Amino acid sequence: MAPKPKEKLKAAASPSQPPPPIEDLFTSLDRHIQRSEFIQAVKVANQVLSVAPGDEDAIRCKVVALIKADKIEEALSAIQSSQKVSFDFSFYKAYCLYRQNKLDEALEVLEKQDKTQPSMLLESQILYRLGKMDACVDICRNLQKVKIDSLEINLVAGLISAGRASEVQGTLDAIKTKATSSFELAYNIACSLIEGNKLKDAEKLLLTARRIGQETLTEENLADDDIEIELAPIAVQLAYVHQLLGQTQEAAGAYTDIVNRNLADEPSLAVAVNNLIAVKGPKEISDSLRKLDRLKEKDSQKFELARAIDLKLSPKQKETIYANRVLLLLHANKMDQARELVAVLPEMFPDNVMPLLLQAAVLVRENKVGKAEKMLGQFAERFPEKSKIILLARAQVAAAAGHPQIAADSLAKVPDIQHMPATVATLVALKERAGDINGAAAVLDSAIKWWKTAMTEDDQLSVIMREAASFKLRHGKEEEAAHLYEELVKGNGNIEALVGLITTVAHANVEKAEAYEKQLKPLPGLKGADVDALEKTSGAKPVDGASRAGLAEAQEDGKTKEKPKKKRKRKPRYPKGFDPANPGPPPDPERWLPKRERSSYRPKRKDKRAAQVRGSQGAVVRDKNEPSASATNSNTSNSKSNQATSSKGVSQSAEPSRPQSKSSRKKSRK
């Protein structure tokens, strides 16, 4: 048994064998690539390069194998080390940078390259990830001339993300593609239906997409868990449709099932967690925060989305998750964490206003309303193109804090909503609360002027004029109110406006009021009423509603209803032997009160003999002059009872620190 190790040592010490021929190495390399054994392919490619340094085919195979094996950093190193090779690896470099989410650098590399079909596809993907949807759609339309598999899927996705969901059906008709040609395309078209608020049609198409996906993936021999992971986006979107339809319990159950089973890709899991939190609202805040913690980097102390999630979610989705995180922290009163998170959001989303709104929310929660109003106002002045939502938020904060003038000024700076009835009503209420009556009237006059010249189907002129007349009449501007009422009556003959006009004009011009009063239709039931006779009477007696209605009907029809039959009075029944002629003394008026509460109640006298018994039960009574230990005992017992009473009193005085029920408080009162 001993010589065998020596033989092994000799074999190890022998010189290395020469490498196999390069043709055999390429054959082995091709076999590993065909079998998707990319790590082995990289090892064989290194063997080829050791024999033939700088071989372009070996370097290309190595780079592609590293990318397929998700060794992106090593692939970039291989590209850097092959700069002396004449082959241009710019496309592979751009793809590696895209995989590392270095999108701007990847786009710069592609711009230096010729526009080929693969480079244009990669450029469209980069633009989609950057949120430049219109440019992405333009590239996809240019590639329609070349038949590329699944190009319509990317094109529809780009149209939806660009806010052009209405163009999806026309695009499908132009390229002659059915919505059910693949489950991915059916899913994207369902998303376009959701954008168009066609929720029932979207639900049907999503169910069809799930069925097609199950059939397709089963034919590809995928495992059941893998199929469920592939179809997870469809399941999440179905739950979202149920949420929009108001079926919150069903949607919450679907989200919970997806989260608990953990059989979903990272983006779908993140969307399910976020939507579940949105369905719950401020309920179960701690549980919602724990669910969000599943989405962050494991080693990070701060809340930061995991890299796999951050790379695949759109900027809008990531912004929504961070915003919900801040709102949950505010509800949980974790102000330090909320303040720390909103401080880094402007760098993460520099082109959006949501970080600023969240900072304002934190300031308001900290009772720093003035600082929040100042910050929002300064941002609106610097960036007028983004000022609409900022000014609306500033108006809401100021109105809630009791600053009506600041709220009104903020609303007045949003020009495209000044004429809307809701905005007009809000501005008038704010200025009226601030004491600016003339300013409120000016808002109403401006809105009336706009609606008189507006060419829209939804005409709100009569509504605003009626409210303006009521406002001016309330504040003593009768002439202006009468003028508005008169315009309404001449315009559409509104009865309410006619009544308001008569009421207003009657204070100044009775004849004009009587002239307009003739346009009112007579009330039913008052044809034969004599007004002069009514004025001479002292006043009408109150009549119940039923009698009044019956009288009106009788006067209108000219018929008299029969009088109701009188009820027969029955003789009272007396007790046996009672004479109603001689009833005797009247009953005691206090007979229903307890005895101790009656005026005739006298408490019983205590027996004086009971007071002579002293000591504990069974003690022997002695004469007063007889000295004994009983006096000492009684004193001792009295001191002990006093001690017990005092200790009991101490315990009762400490008891109110605990929460008491109503019954315990009642007992203490007794």
Side-chain angles (χ1 to χ4, degrees):
M1 298 295 292
K4 288 185 178 179
K6 294 181 181 179
E7 292 176 1
K8 288 184 179 180
L9 288 173
K10 289 181 181 179
S14 62
S16 60
Q17 297 179 356
I22 194 169
E23 293 82 1
D24 295 342
L25 290 174
F26 271 107
T27 302
S28 176
L29 180 60
D30 181 66
R31 182 172 64 253
H32 288 307
I33 292 175
Q34 294 296 330
R35 294 177 180 177
S36 299
E37 299 172 352
F38 301 114
I39 301 299
Q40 297 297 326
V42 172
K43 294 179 180 179
V44 176
N46 288 331
Q47 291 181 3
V48 174
L49 292 173
S50 64
V51 176
D55 189 284
E56 294 182 4
D57 294 331
I59 296 174
R60 288 176 60 189
C61 290
K62 179 181 178 180
V63 171
V64 173
L66 288 170
I67 293 174
K68 290 284 188 180
D70 290 333
K71 306 287 186 180
I72 306 300
E73 194 65 38
E74 296 181 19
L76 277 174
S77 299
I79 293 171
Q80 288 293 112
S81 61
S82 60
Q83 292 181 353
K84 298 180 181 179
V85 182
S86 59
F87 183 78
D88 187 9
F89 285 94
S90 299
F91 175 77
Y92 297 101
K93 182 179 180 180
Y95 182 78
C96 290
L97 293 172
Y98 163 75
R99 290 286 301 274
Q100 289 183 334
N101 206 33
K102 299 177 181 179
L103 304 178
D104 294 326
E105 297 181 27
L107 202 58
E108 290 178 4
V109 173
L110 281 180
E111 289 175 354
K112 300 176 183 178
Q113 199 180 22
D114 296 335
K115 297 293 183 181
T116 60
Q117 177 183 329
S119 65
M120 291 177 70
L121 275 174
L122 179 58
E123 185 179 0
S124 67
Q125 291 287 344
I126 295 172
L127 292 171
Y128 182 86
R129 190 77 67 81
L130 286 171
K132 300 178 180 179
M133 302 303 172
D134 292 327
C136 171
V137 170
D138 293 340
I139 293 177
C140 290
R141 290 194 184 279
N142 293 333
L143 289 172
Q144 284 181 355
K145 303 174 184 178
V146 185
K147 293 184 178 181
I148 302 175
D149 294 337
S150 304
L151 178 63
E152 65 276 2
I153 298 174
N154 295 347
L155 178 57
V156 171
L159 287 171
I160 297 170
S161 301
R164 297 158 60 180
S166 58
E167 302 178 20
V168 170
Q169 190 58 46
T171 302
L172 292 177
D173 296 339
I175 61 179
K176 298 178 181 180
T177 303
K178 293 183 179 180
T180 56
S181 59
S182 65
F183 72 92
E184 296 97 334
L185 182 60
Y187 169 79
N188 284 349
I189 295 174
C191 294
S192 70
L193 293 174
I194 294 173
E195 291 291 325
N197 203 26
K198 300 177 180 178
L199 302 179
K200 289 293 183 181
D201 296 338
E203 183 182 11
K204 293 178 181 178
L205 192 55
L206 285 171
L207 293 173
T208 303
R210 185 169 63 182
R211 178 180 55 79
I212 296 172
Q214 288 175 345
E215 295 174 357
T216 304
L217 298 175
T218 303
E219 291 176 359
E220 295 178 3
N221 297 324
L222 264 70
D224 292 341
D225 290 348
D226 295 336
I227 293 176
E228 190 168 354
I229 292 173
E230 288 289 332
L231 300 180
I234 300 177
V236 175
Q237 202 72 340
L238 265 174
Y240 179 63
V241 170
H242 293 155
Q243 181 181 349
L244 294 179
L245 288 171
Q247 304 168 4
T248 54
Q249 292 184 352
E250 188 174 351
Y255 290 139
T256 304
D257 185 61
I258 294 169
V259 173
N260 292 340
R261 296 185 67 182
N262 202 18
L263 288 176
D265 57 323
E266 289 86 354
S268 300
L269 180 63
V271 173
V273 169
N274 179 79
N275 291 359
L276 178 60
I277 292 171
V279 169
K280 288 183 177 180
K283 300 177 182 178
E284 302 178 10
I285 298 174
S286 300
D287 181 65
S288 298
L289 287 172
R290 284 194 297 269
K291 283 184 170 59
L292 274 181
D293 287 338
R294 296 177 56 179
L295 308 181
K296 72 174 187 177
E297 288 285 356
K298 294 182 179 179
D299 299 333
S300 177
Q301 296 294 331
K302 302 178 182 179
F303 182 78
E304 184 179 357
L305 289 177
R307 182 173 179 79
I309 297 175
D310 188 72
L311 292 177
K312 296 181 180 179
L313 287 179
S314 66
K316 186 177 180 180
Q317 290 173 326
K318 290 186 286 187
E319 181 183 358
T320 304
I321 292 175
Y322 280 106
N324 285 341
R325 174 79 177 186
V326 174
L327 294 178
L328 285 175
L329 291 173
L330 291 178
H331 281 295
N333 204 25
K334 298 183 178 181
M335 302 305 300
D336 293 337
Q337 297 183 32
R339 203 179 302 109
E340 183 180 0
L341 184 55
V342 298
V344 299
L345 291 182
E347 298 179 2
M348 300 173 62
F349 309 103
D351 298 330
N352 297 337
V353 298
M354 182 59 70
L356 184 70
L357 295 176
L358 293 174
Q359 288 179 350
V362 173
L363 290 174
V364 171
R365 188 61 184 274
E366 293 175 340
N367 294 326
K368 299 178 181 178
V369 179
K371 191 174 181 180
E373 292 173 353
K374 183 179 179 181
M375 180 182 66
L376 293 172
Q378 291 176 350
F379 184 89
E381 292 177 359
R382 281 188 315 216
F383 304 98
E385 69 280 0
K386 302 178 182 179
S387 63
K388 181 177 180 179
I389 189 172
I390 298 297
L391 290 171
L392 291 175
R394 185 171 184 255
Q396 182 178 3
V397 170
H403 304 155
Q405 191 60 49
I406 297 177
D409 294 342
S410 300
L411 274 181
K413 293 179 182 178
V414 186
D416 55 340
I417 64 170
Q418 293 300 303
H419 60 279
M420 302 302 294
T423 308
V424 173
T426 306
L427 278 171
V428 170
L430 289 171
K431 287 183 176 294
E432 192 174 9
R433 194 191 305 175
D436 188 6
I437 305 301
N438 294 330
V443 171
L444 290 167
D445 294 339
S446 177
I448 292 172
K449 183 178 179 181
W450 189 93
W451 282 104
K452 283 183 178 179
T453 58
M455 302 297 293
T456 58
E457 297 179 0
D458 186 19
D459 189 10
Q460 301 290 338
L461 178 61
S462 60
V463 177
I464 295 179
M465 287 182 68
R466 190 162 57 248
E467 294 299 326
S470 176
F471 173 83
K472 293 186 177 184
L473 182 62
R474 191 168 63 249
H475 290 282
K477 300 181 179 182
E478 289 85 0
E479 294 183 3
E480 298 180 17
H483 180 68
L484 291 172
Y485 279 132
E486 195 168 5
E487 286 188 20
L488 284 171
V489 172
K490 292 179 180 179
N492 51 16
N494 191 293
I495 298 297
E496 296 180 5
L498 182 58
V499 173
L501 176 60
I502 295 171
T503 306
T504 306
V505 174
H507 295 283
N509 193 341
V510 179
E511 296 179 356
K512 190 175 182 180
E514 290 178 349
Y516 279 112
E517 187 268 338
K518 294 179 181 179
Q519 300 181 16
L520 290 174
K521 296 180 180 180
L523 294 175
L526 296 179
K527 294 180 180 178
D530 189 356
V531 179
D532 296 333
L534 289 174
E535 288 181 351
K536 294 178 181 179
T537 60
S538 59
K541 295 181 179 180
V543 185
D544 58 345
S547 302
R548 194 182 299 113
L551 180 61
E553 292 177 2
Q555 290 177 351
E556 185 176 358
D557 299 336
K559 299 179 182 179
T560 57
K561 293 186 178 180
E562 296 181 0
K563 294 182 180 180
K565 295 182 179 179
K566 294 183 179 180
K567 294 183 179 181
R568 186 179 60 182
K569 294 183 178 181
R570 294 184 179 182
K571 293 183 179 180
R573 297 179 63 182
Y574 298 109
K576 189 176 181 180
F578 178 78
D579 185 7
N582 298 312
D588 185 7
E590 298 180 351
R591 63 187 181 278
W592 306 115
L593 296 175
K595 286 186 177 181
R596 64 177 58 194
E597 295 182 11
R598 299 180 189 178
S599 58
S600 60
Y601 173 73
R602 295 291 182 272
K604 293 182 180 180
R605 294 182 179 180
K606 294 183 179 180
D607 191 359
K608 295 182 178 180
R609 293 174 296 178
Q612 296 177 1
V613 179
R614 300 188 182 278
S616 58
Q617 186 176 0
V620 179
V621 181
R622 300 177 182 272
D623 295 337
K624 293 182 180 179
N625 298 326
E626 183 180 0
S628 67
S630 62
T632 308
N633 293 336
S634 63
N635 292 336
T636 307
S637 63
N638 289 337
S639 63
K640 289 182 179 179
S641 63
N642 291 336
Q643 290 176 2
T645 305
S646 63
S647 64
K648 189 174 181 181
V650 171
S651 64
Q652 288 176 351
S653 65
E655 191 65 25
S657 63
R658 302 177 185 175
Q660 292 183 344
S661 62
K662 292 183 179 179
S663 60
S664 64
R665 287 197 290 273
K666 289 178 181 177
K667 290 179 181 178
S668 64
R669 291 195 192 101
K670 291 181 181 180

